[in-house]
Amino acid sequence: MIRELSGEENALFNEYIDKTRAYFQSSGGAPKAYVHSYGCQQNVSDGEKIQGILQQMGCDFVNSPEDAGIIILNTCAVRENAEDKVFGNVGALKKLKEQNRGLVIAVGGCMVQQKHIAEKLKASYPFVDIVFGTHTMHELPRMLYEKLTGGKGCVNIPDADGMICEGIPTRRNSDIKAYVPIMYGCDNFCSYCVVPYVRGRERSRKAEAIEKEVSELITQGYKEIMLLGQNVNSYGKNIGGTDFAGLLKRLDGFEGEYKLSFMTSHPKDCTKELIDVIADSRHIERHIHLPVQSGSDRILKLMNRRYTVEKYLELVNYAKSRIPDLSLTTDIIVGFPGEGYEDFCQTLELMKKVRYDMAYTFIYSKREGTRAAEMDDPVSDKEKGIWMRELLEVQGQIGLENYQRYIGSTLTVLCEGHDKNKPEYLTGHSRQSIIVRFAGEESLIGSFVKVKVTKAMPWAVEGELIN
Ligand code: 5AD
Ligand code: SF4
């Protein structure tokens, strides 16, 4: 359920923020806070809410845990290597706690929503003060206050089907691009995926609440609004009324210069009507991230994806015909249990047919509690690694060829900052969500510019600014 905090909950939420701020004022000032979010944009967005709460308590933020008095890690559970990284990072905090007994360490998010992980944390990492799940954000002020004022700390992991609240403050990490969750949870139960277990059932926010938030962000000067959900295409199903195509249409109607993007689509729910809305829009990106996961019908069935390669290609072909400059990206899992080399070759075939601009590729990772975890998985990691390299090679070549076709054309680019690899350059994304880098004045950051493409790389293009 998604709802406003009740009067009483709201009063308690604010009371504990006020009490903590007052406590800091009377005890030498608020400590610096370090908040790190792992994983997807949804998690980054949750991290912005955690920061919003801390900011209201009077905290400033630092980029390294060594400089902080409060450390909050907001974790991801989607693959095992993400979890290993978190355990490594949590382990490294022990030393800091020994040097500073007043340091408060909290670990929250998807990973600790799993019972066996919360138990492991409690047993093996006793210096962690607060362990909180994916549905306890509104209780964070109380948990922090109690620990800061001498309490014992807590483990607070209610059932993942719990509610999510409107009205939690947000400290946005960028003043150009804003994340707006439109729904939470997932009902799809793809057999490899832990998300439905840790984020609970699908719950959509009311269209009016989203519309209000987006309108305010545009007025404040945000240039990109990214709508977030595990499967945005099923937006509205649990509340009736506006569906995702309808929501996008409403959000496309504001005046001003802005770009609307969204993450993530599920092919089984992506409709032709939605593609029509994108094709006819003024502000929506000409980009769909459409995770296919596999090019083999047999594996798609085992994955419980509920579409066939034929249906997927039909959708892709319709989208390409309606949006000629469409950019398509995807997610692919290599080495799902029972996948053979012939299945993998069908994935390569599909990639050659669709010609994605970019593919995010993952070696299958076994997740406790999912259906795939029970399946036989005879192919070795070494073999899967060889397949992965083959896939990357094929995609790298396709990406490069796709980007080469932009040479000589002019793209509208939202300038987002300096390029990390070439700091003398600026960088941003085009309306097709392609990374574009170019030479230009710093004052252009945060505005839309025109860039004529002169060079293509497998992951980005380079070009010259047009006045
Ligand atoms: N193993 C590997 N990749 C996974 N993903 C989700 N679960 C797993 C898993 N168990 C990938 C999917 C999804 C993306 C966000 O992460 O490709 O689309
Ligand atoms: Fe996981 Fe599938 Fe839901 Fe995506 S749609 S979050 S892959 S269960």
Side-chain angles (χ1 to χ4, degrees):
M1 184 169 68
I2 297 188
R3 59 169 175 80
E4 298 284 336
L5 289 175
S6 72
E8 198 181 326
E9 283 166 335
N10 201 24
L12 266 181
F13 179 78
N14 288 320
E15 183 186 323
Y16 276 108
I17 287 182
D18 292 345
K19 274 163 93 165
T20 312
R21 197 175 43 236
Y23 168 75
F24 287 150
Q25 278 162 359
S26 66
S27 58
K32 305 268 189 252
Y34 172 80
V35 178
H36 185 75
S37 293
Y38 300 79
C40 67
Q41 283 95 344
Q42 188 81 55
N43 239 27
V44 173
S45 166
D46 284 353
E48 292 186 336
K49 294 206 165 89
I50 294 172
Q51 291 188 30
I53 291 170
L54 290 165
Q55 189 175 40
Q56 293 217 338
M57 291 171 167
C59 293
D60 280 335
F61 296 88
V62 288
N63 292 324
S64 108
E66 286 78 17
D67 302 328
I70 297 179
I71 296 175
I72 301 189
L73 303 184
N74 182 31
T75 62
C76 167
V78 79
R79 283 172 293 276
E80 195 177 4
N81 53 6
E83 291 188 349
D84 291 345
K85 203 157 106 191
V86 172
F87 277 126
N89 292 355
V90 174
L93 298 178
K94 186 173 176 199
K95 210 172 61 208
L96 297 181
K97 186 78 167 191
E98 283 164 0
Q99 288 160 2
N100 172 10
R101 284 277 147 209
L103 175 67
V104 172
I105 300 175
V107 182
C110 292
M111 179 175 153
V112 299
Q113 188 68 40
Q114 304 169 98
K115 219 170 176 181
H116 68 282
I117 299 278
E119 274 160 15
K120 179 169 168 186
L121 265 179
K122 218 164 84 184
S124 311
Y125 302 81
F127 52 90
V128 173
D129 301 299
I130 299 170
V131 181
F132 63 105
T134 49
H135 298 97
T136 49
M137 193 85 77
H138 62 295
E139 293 181 36
L140 193 57
R142 179 183 57 74
M143 295 186 269
L144 282 172
Y145 178 78
E146 285 174 355
K147 178 61 208 168
L148 284 158
T149 54
K152 270 175 65 185
C154 65
V155 176
N156 187 353
I157 318 275
D159 192 348
D161 287 342
M163 49 92 186
I164 301 232
C165 296
E166 291 282 348
I168 309 260
T170 300
R171 175 183 182 262
R172 299 198 184 269
N173 291 337
S174 154
D175 45 20
I176 302 170
K177 177 172 176 173
Y179 292 125
V180 176
I182 62 168
M183 61 199 299
Y184 301 91
C186 180
D187 283 353
N188 291 311
F189 290 94
C190 300
S191 62
Y192 50 81
C193 186
V194 77
V195 168
Y197 302 94
V198 293
R199 285 204 172 256
R201 299 290 57 74
E202 200 171 277
R203 307 170 295 282
S204 297
R205 291 176 67 196
K206 285 201 186 103
E208 292 70 31
I210 298 167
E211 212 167 26
K212 180 166 175 278
E213 185 173 345
V214 170
S215 151
E216 285 169 2
L217 288 165
I218 293 167
T219 308
Q220 285 164 26
Y222 282 91
K223 295 290 185 256
E224 178 173 353
I225 314 290
M226 182 179 257
L227 309 175
L228 298 178
Q230 305 299 341
N231 173 12
V232 288
N233 306 113
S234 63
Y235 170 80
K237 275 194 182 158
N238 69 315
I239 51 172
T242 313
D243 64 3
F244 186 56
L247 179 72
L248 273 184
K249 217 170 175 171
R250 280 164 75 163
L251 300 179
D252 189 46
F254 296 115
E255 286 313 313
E257 221 183 359
Y258 66 97
K259 183 165 83 161
L260 273 176
S261 54
F262 55 88
M263 215 31 121
T264 286
S265 292
H266 192 307
K268 83 176 165 58
D269 298 310
C270 185
T271 59
K272 290 187 172 170
E273 190 199 347
L274 170 66
I275 288 162
D276 292 340
V277 168
I278 299 172
D280 300 334
S281 73
R282 292 189 298 162
H283 301 285
I284 306 170
E285 256 189 5
R286 324 285 282 176
H287 165 227
I288 309 179
H289 182 65
L290 201 58
V292 71
Q293 312 297 0
S294 168
S296 152
D297 281 339
R298 192 176 74 80
I299 297 301
L300 287 174
K301 196 151 198 223
L302 288 173
M303 288 177 163
N304 191 32
R305 289 291 287 178
R306 286 176 278 175
Y307 53 82
T308 59
V309 170
E310 191 188 343
K311 277 267 159 233
Y312 184 88
L313 286 175
E314 193 189 310
L315 191 65
V316 162
N317 290 336
Y318 182 74
K320 283 183 173 175
S321 71
R322 285 291 280 117
I323 312 168
D325 61 338
L326 179 71
S327 165
L328 277 165
T329 56
T330 200
D331 291 344
I332 288 176
I333 296 179
V334 172
F336 182 82
E339 180 175 341
Y341 189 66
E342 319 76 65
D343 298 300
F344 171 70
C345 287
Q346 290 176 22
T347 302
L348 292 182
E349 280 312 303
L350 177 90
M351 295 180 80
K352 288 176 191 162
K353 280 188 187 143
V354 179
R355 299 189 62 79
Y356 297 105
D357 279 342
M358 181 94 76
Y360 300 88
T361 51
F362 312 101
I363 290 191
Y364 168 75
S365 167
K366 184 173 175 176
R367 306 284 62 214
E368 199 170 310
T370 61
R371 275 194 288 144
E374 311 293 315
M375 299 177 189
D376 268 355
D377 187 8
V379 176
S380 69
D381 285 348
K382 189 169 168 227
E383 186 75 8
K384 291 180 184 183
I386 295 171
W387 296 359
M388 176 65 114
R389 281 197 290 282
E390 193 174 346
L391 188 129
L392 291 176
E393 215 164 282
V394 168
Q395 177 52 39
Q397 185 58 31
I398 294 173
L400 179 61
E401 285 166 13
N402 281 358
Y403 286 174
Q404 275 167 343
R405 70 170 197 252
Y406 284 107
I407 292 176
S409 61
T410 300
L411 297 174
T412 303
V413 181
L414 172 57
C415 180
E416 291 155 30
H418 290 281
D419 189 275
K420 277 201 191 101
N421 302 319
K422 252 188 171 180
E424 69 280 19
Y425 272 51
L426 298 173
T427 183
H429 288 80
S430 73
R431 201 174 166 202
Q432 297 75 14
S433 200
I434 287 165
I435 299 172
V436 182
R437 66 182 186 197
F438 54 96
E441 297 285 319
E442 187 161 334
S443 61
L444 295 173
I445 295 173
S447 59
F448 287 94
V449 295
K450 300 257 185 232
V451 177
K452 185 162 181 190
V453 178
T454 53
K455 184 178 163 190
M457 294 156 285
W459 71 96
V461 297
E462 238 175 65
E464 284 161 6
L465 197 64
I466 294 181
N467 286 325

